[in-house]
């Protein structure tokens, strides 16, 4: 009889230890996954504006992240006409008719605009004559010179408040019309990060 009691006691103890271990594993898993999430969020808020937003409303970041949109456009030059196309299918935020040079904005908000234009060749002795601009109708938003060492503007960036129905267009002034753009997306691209206006 005492041996049976000892046996069942051992069983109860083993069961108890198993339960404790499972609870511990669950807690450790929860701790690391939730800890990881909040860290990932704070490190991915790269722009000061977003960090500011996150600091003001600590519970809102995921809501804010849901409304931020990103688009990247690739340029094609045909007969001195520069057209833009995006791999993102929906044209809700920015739309562009096929073959058109003008991008149309469809939502009010703050736009982080990044532009890089690279030419496939350029004439070093006429460096001052190469100018690249990003315009919204008659307003110049961004302007830069082609660096004739690598025929590129490098990255030009600015945050601009735009409204639905505003337009965006890239124009290139160059002394030689044969100096066409390099269509590689890593050399010539227009990127848009959209922050909704509250
Ligand atoms: C660059 O421009 C200068 C001045 O117009 C011209 O003399 C020269 O031939 C051009 N170079 C090339 C490679 O086109
Ligand atoms: C060209 O040179 C400029 C200035 O050194 C640099 O900012 C830019 O990133 C370069 N662009 C490319 C495509 O190498
Ligand atoms: C945008 O322009 C179109 C046509 O010009 C007009 O019908 C529409 O009301 C405008 N939308 C806004 C938000 O201004």
């Amino acid at each position: 009889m005492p041996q049976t009691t000892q046996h069942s006691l051992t069983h109860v103890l083993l069961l108890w230890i198993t339960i404790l271990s499972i609870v511990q594993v669950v807690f450790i898993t929860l701790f690391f996954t939730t800890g990881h999430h909040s860290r990932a969020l704070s490190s991915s808020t790269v722009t000061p504006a977003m960090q500011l937003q996150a600091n003001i409303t600590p519970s809102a970041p995921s809501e804010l992240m849901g409304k931020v949109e990103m688009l990247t456009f690739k340029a094609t030059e045909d007969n001195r006409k520069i057209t833009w196309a995006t791999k993102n299918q929906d044209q809700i935020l920015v739309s562009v008719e096929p073959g058109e040079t003008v991008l149309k904005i469809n939502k009010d908000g703050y736009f982080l605009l990044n532009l890089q234009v690279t030419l496939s060749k350029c004439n070093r002795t006429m460096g001052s004559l190469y100018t690249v601009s990003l315009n919204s109708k008659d307003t110049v938003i961004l302007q830069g010179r082609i660096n004739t060492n690598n025929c590129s503007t490098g990255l030009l960036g600015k945050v601009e408040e735009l409204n639905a129905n505003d337009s965006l267009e890239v124009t290139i002034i160059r002394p030689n019309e044969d100096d066409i753009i390099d269509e590689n997306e890593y050399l010539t691209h227009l990127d848009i990060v959209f922050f909704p206006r509250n």
Side-chain angles (χ1 to χ4, degrees):
M1 273 311 266
Q3 239 184 8
T4 326
T5 320
Q6 250 178 14
H7 248 114
S8 53
L9 252 178
T10 315
H11 277 147
V12 167
L13 269 175
L14 272 176
L15 188 67
W16 180 235
I17 286 166
T18 310
I19 289 171
L20 278 183
S21 306
I22 289 170
V23 168
Q24 217 163 24
V25 165
V26 167
F27 267 95
I28 288 169
T29 310
L30 277 178
F31 176 80
F32 275 106
T33 46
T34 53
H36 207 80
H37 266 282
S38 42
R39 223 171 316 136
L41 261 180
S42 53
S43 66
S44 67
T45 50
V46 277
T47 59
M50 279 208 52
Q51 241 157 26
L52 196 68
Q53 280 278 2
N55 287 347
I56 294 168
T57 48
S59 60
S62 58
E63 200 182 300
L64 183 70
M65 293 295 285
K67 291 181 196 159
V68 173
E69 292 179 51
M70 277 163 261
L71 291 173
T72 182
F73 289 87
K74 182 188 184 303
T76 307
E77 178 160 16
D78 189 22
N79 234 338
R80 271 131 229 161
K81 214 170 146 191
I82 294 155
T83 55
W84 301 90
T86 179
K87 280 173 279 185
N88 313 69
Q89 285 304 303
D90 74 85
Q91 302 223 329
I92 295 167
L93 175 63
V94 177
S95 51
V96 53
E97 299 298 321
E100 274 302 314
T101 58
V102 178
L103 305 176
K104 188 167 154 264
I105 302 295
N106 298 320
K107 286 188 192 175
D108 300 345
Y110 304 103
F111 290 75
L112 169 59
L113 303 162
N114 277 338
L115 174 69
Q116 180 176 15
V117 172
T118 306
L119 302 176
S120 50
K121 64 179 176 66
C122 55
N123 188 326
R124 202 175 275 242
T125 62
M126 300 204 279
S128 62
L129 295 176
Y130 291 90
T131 309
V132 174
S133 309
L134 176 65
N135 308 305
S136 182
K137 292 211 177 70
D138 298 328
T139 313
V140 179
I141 295 177
L142 281 173
Q143 191 168 78
R145 285 276 163 78
I146 296 279
N147 177 333
T148 48
N149 290 317
N150 56 19
C151 298
S152 181
T153 56
L155 195 61
L156 307 172
K158 189 173 189 294
V159 174
E160 188 77 16
E161 188 174 352
L162 296 171
N163 298 309
N165 271 2
D166 278 348
S167 64
L168 289 176
E169 187 170 23
V170 175
T171 58
I172 302 174
I173 296 170
R174 50 199 155 177
N176 186 353
E177 291 292 342
D178 292 337
D179 297 346
I180 56 169
I181 60 166
D182 186 321
E183 292 182 1
N184 282 303
E185 197 174 334
Y186 54 85
L187 290 173
T188 302
H189 53 96
L190 174 64
D191 317 307
I192 297 176
V193 182
F194 167 77
F195 299 89
R197 193 167 52 201
N198 294 317

